[in-house]
Amino acid sequence: MPSQYSEKTLQSRTSRLVKIINGRIVRDHKIINDDVLYIYEGKIIDPQNHFFTYGNSPDTVINAKGLLIAPGYIDIQINGAFGVDFSVWKDDKQMKEGLDKVAKGLLKNGCTSFVPTIVSSPKEIYHKVLPLLKPRKGNKENGAEVLGAHVEGPFITHSKQGAHKESYLRTAPNGFKDFIDIYGLYDHAVKLITVAPDVEGALDSLEGLINFGITVSIGHSSATVAQAELAVEKGAKCITHLFNAMQQFHHRDPGIVGLLGTTRLARPFYGIICDGTHVHPNSIKIAYDSHPRGAILVTDAMAAMGLPPGEYSLGGIPVRKSGNEKVEVIDNGKLAGSVITIDACVKNFKKFTGCNVIEAIEAATLHPAELLNIQNVKGTLDVGADADIIFLDDDLNLVKCFIAGEEVSIS
Amino acid sequence: MRLIIRSDYDEVSEYIATYVKNRILEYNPTRERPFVLGLPTGSSPVGLYKCLVKFYRNNELSFKHVVTFNMDEYVGLPRDHPESYHSFMWHHLFKHIDIAPDNVNILDGNAENLSEECVRFERKIKSVGGIELFIGGIGPDGHIAFNEPGSSLTSRTRVKTLAYDTILANSRFFDNDINKVPRMALTVGVGTVMEAREVAIIITGAHKAIALSKCIEEGVNHMWTVSAIQHHPKALIVCDEDATLELHVKTVKYFKSIEHVINNLIGAENVGLQGNVKKYPTPEATPEVTPEVTPEVTPICEAFYNLPFKR
């Protein structure tokens, strides 16, 4: 008589166990065929361990039909989108609604985590906006995960401010105290900062910033390569949009770009905008060839991303979006952020550099996660990671998006 | 005993997988009356499992009411170690099919009390009504599961110390470091396997040829433990040509001619899955020669069986 008793415990039946089959999983720098993913309570769990420990069969089986399965994209530099500008504060309610709109809209581009970015602003703006940009879990109701805020400026160099308002730029004669004063860092909302090493007091403040749990990126700067290397020695881990808003590469004075050629230090990551406009494709390839593991794809998108061409505002500055490619400051024609989506960045990056699918995907997943030291839960499909997953076809078009294990519509 | 000879490993795998599929389908298992299958690990069943997965993916076979018992597992090896037999079964079979985790039984090599674990395993087999079909491989020394030469032919599930040869052979899976190889394993006994209602052994490769010849052409002997199947009422061996290299020519011809007779004289459709003749056709009715693979039969043999020469 067959026994009805089970020696294995049954897991609680309130959460669904989801099994994903027939996908080509991007993991461990490889594409793995013939393996399966188990998702439970918003996390990727170990399928083998679950199988032999519990008596539950999967509640849902999703057939990926041969598509690539990758971690959701992470955007560490995005100033706004869909008409929302993170640097503009009207009231708390409008800011929250704006954040929700962007978080939900980004999922349609396969972006499951992002770092809302604020351009150089006056102190009042930081104190109002930063508390509203604290880390927030990603899920179906919230949209993409908010990882914290990226404060790009105001401790940046004059003449390298790009589309930032010059009057908001500052120096730090009192060192780290000036940073606390300007941002109101008590909230721990700031996860990433762009600072220029050649600004007074900046280099001395790096230690304080890092101890506060903030990742330091250098950019919007005229720093020499020596100053840049000093910043890296003091703990800077990234370069903000390489090539843009910094000294041009000169063979005897390579500037910040020269960090890609240092041998005495571990080379930092570098954000790079792959819309084909901010940086020439050949320059992207040169940077990639010199330091492939350092590439982090960023959109640097502004409010007009996801909207039709026209005139908009970026941090109070009037800009014009022409076509789907370019945004320029109306007054001086400088590039003013981009309107590209992160999945388009990944496609362009692969095209411009000739890298393979794995490397292109890692530049928008694993590398940004490593920069922010969250690679155990984000930017990876390893056991224990958050179940932020995307299905891609061979041309890296987005086919499906899952956040915290739940599928969301991408149309 | 039936001996089915095919040309190579892939054909052997296809044959035994089809046999398992047809046995399950014919049995028509339900929740109250599941199909209880005994399973091996190692290189012999890899092709079998690939084919079974293929059948599942083509919707030809479901494992919903199949209960499995594996033959063995290392002692002291973590369950999620890549070389554990749990990992082997997960990666080769279980992760691809719809078997219920509850229906899977593998010995726990990390149990607190190993003897109790063996008793529990035997008890579980009894509680589900015994094993309907036990599939196994064979070692070059003729052992089945970890019943190395010298094992009692009536043995039950127990702890075994591995032979030095086995440890050496396994070290290639453990970074070629002999110190990392487990020294002991839990294994079903020869008696446990023989108690199954049917036993099927997969034997492929020239290095298994001597073992095959010792096990079916010589006496039942605890030095070649697979020879115990000579006492089993329903035994099946599926092997490739290379594995027959040490058999007498007469043995090979005999078993090949059996298949030939079934296909050309009786008709495969008149023969049940387990070799029982359902209907013997009248002389007028000429059976259709099935297009399935029939081993080559020489003209002398064929004249003896008085059949028109048909391949």
Side-chain angles (χ1 to χ4, degrees), chain A residues 1-8 10 19 21-22 33-36 38 46-58, chain B residues 31-34 57 79-80 84 86-87 90-91 94-97 99-106 120 124 126-129:
Chain A
M1 210 59 216
S3 159
Q4 301 298 326
Y5 85 107
S6 165
E7 283 150 357
K8 301 186 177 129
L10 272 181
K19 180 179 181 184
I21 62 172
N22 280 346
N33 302 310
D34 237 28
D35 203 359
V36 301
Y38 268 27
D46 183 345
Q48 179 182 333
N49 185 52
H50 186 277
F51 183 85
F52 288 122
T53 309
Y54 301 103
N56 306 59
S57 290
Chain B
R31 196 170 117 87
E32 291 73 33
R33 190 179 154 267
R57 286 186 177 149
R79 191 176 70 186
D80 57 3
S84 81
H86 280 81
S87 295
W90 168 253
H91 287 293
F94 297 142
K95 85 177 166 197
H96 301 290
I97 59 176
I99 191 164
D102 231 6
N103 287 345
V104 166
N105 300 279
I106 308 183
R120 178 201 69 83
K124 186 83 195 285
K126 269 203 174 55
S127 76
V128 295

Side-chain angles (χ1 to χ4, degrees), chain A residues 30-50:
Chain A
K30 310 195 273 282
I31 293 180
I32 298 170
N33 302 310
D34 237 28
D35 203 359
V36 301
L37 285 177
Y38 268 27
I39 300 174
Y40 187 72
E41 293 187 333
K43 289 280 201 186
I44 298 177
I45 63 170
D46 183 345
Q48 179 182 333
N49 185 52
H50 186 277

Side-chain angles (χ1 to χ4, degrees), chain B:
Chain B
M1 184 199 81
R2 289 171 294 158
L3 181 70
I4 301 289
I5 302 167
R6 290 291 178 267
S7 50
D8 59 21
Y9 180 79
D10 289 336
E11 282 192 8
V12 166
S13 303
E14 187 78 36
Y15 183 91
I16 184 70
T18 309
Y19 184 77
V20 169
K21 176 183 82 169
N22 289 336
R23 281 282 268 119
I24 295 174
L25 292 176
E26 191 183 63
Y27 187 93
N28 197 13
T30 61
R31 196 170 117 87
E32 291 73 33
R33 190 179 154 267
F35 189 95
V36 185
L37 191 56
L39 294 177
T41 53
S43 51
S44 303
V46 170
L48 158 68
Y49 294 150
K50 264 206 185 63
C51 288
L52 289 177
V53 171
K54 184 179 71 179
F55 293 152
Y56 167 70
R57 286 186 177 149
N58 290 342
N59 292 319
E60 293 167 39
L61 178 62
S62 164
F63 290 84
K64 193 153 173 233
H65 298 300
V66 174
V67 172
T68 65
F69 287 88
N70 263 74
M71 288 184 139
D72 42 22
E73 174 61 284
Y74 289 116
V75 167
L77 201 61
R79 191 176 70 186
D80 57 3
H81 189 283
E83 293 304 324
S84 81
Y85 287 165
H86 280 81
S87 295
F88 180 96
M89 290 308 300
W90 168 253
H91 287 293
H92 284 94
L93 187 60
F94 297 142
K95 85 177 166 197
H96 301 290
I97 59 176
D98 64 342
I99 191 164
D102 231 6
N103 287 345
V104 166
N105 300 279
I106 308 183
L107 285 155
D108 178 7
N110 293 298
E112 285 232 1
N113 187 325
L114 295 174
S115 318
E116 255 178 48
E117 169 66 7
C118 296
V119 170
R120 178 201 69 83
F121 200 72
E122 289 272 347
R123 216 187 293 135
K124 186 83 195 285
I125 294 176
K126 269 203 174 55
S127 76
V128 295
I131 295 176
E132 178 68 25
L133 169 61
F134 215 132
I135 308 183
I138 188 177
D141 57 4
H143 75 243
I144 183 160
F146 273 123
N147 295 290
E148 316 253 317
S151 298
S152 162
L153 297 176
T154 54
S155 51
R156 311 301 307 189
T157 305
R158 66 216 186 286
V159 185
K160 282 288 281 186
T161 306
L162 302 184
Y164 185 59
D165 273 349
T166 308
I167 295 178
L168 273 181
N170 286 349
S171 65
R172 71 185 192 274
F173 300 123
F174 292 88
D175 303 326
N176 284 316
D177 182 357
I178 199 174
N179 292 314
K180 290 192 182 154
V181 185
R183 318 301 176 120
M184 296 199 298
L186 300 181
T187 178
V188 294
V190 183
T192 319
V193 177
M194 289 303 128
E195 222 171 50
R197 289 184 280 281
E198 183 176 1
V199 179
I201 310 287
I202 305 170
I203 305 182
T204 56
H207 56 304
K208 305 278 173 78
I210 292 181
L212 176 57
S213 74
K214 292 287 183 192
C215 288
I216 68 173
E217 287 182 336
E218 298 193 18
V220 174
N221 188 315
H222 68 169
M223 284 299 165
W224 303 91
T225 47
V226 173
S227 64
I229 62 169
Q230 294 180 29
H231 278 303
H232 197 289
K234 261 203 217 146
L236 166 66
I237 293 182
V238 190
C239 68
D240 64 357
E241 294 281 355
D242 281 351
T244 65
L245 286 174
E246 292 285 341
L247 292 178
H248 294 135
V249 175
K250 192 162 96 176
T251 311
V252 175
K253 282 185 190 260
Y254 173 65
F255 285 108
K256 284 188 178 175
S257 68
I258 292 180
E259 279 203 76
H260 191 75
V261 165
I262 285 176
N263 284 330
N264 295 353
L265 181 66
I266 302 174
E269 73 280 4
N270 293 321
V271 178
L273 251 191
Q274 293 172 71
N276 46 317
V277 177
K278 295 189 284 196
K279 192 178 97 179
Y280 193 87
T282 52
E284 304 85 52
T286 35
E288 256 180 73
V289 176
T290 50
E292 78 159 74
V293 179
T294 316
E296 186 184 318
V297 174
T298 60
I300 294 175
C301 219
E302 167 234 330
F304 173 74
Y305 288 103
N306 204 23
L307 293 163
F309 192 76
K310 254 190 197 130
R311 281 195 194 278

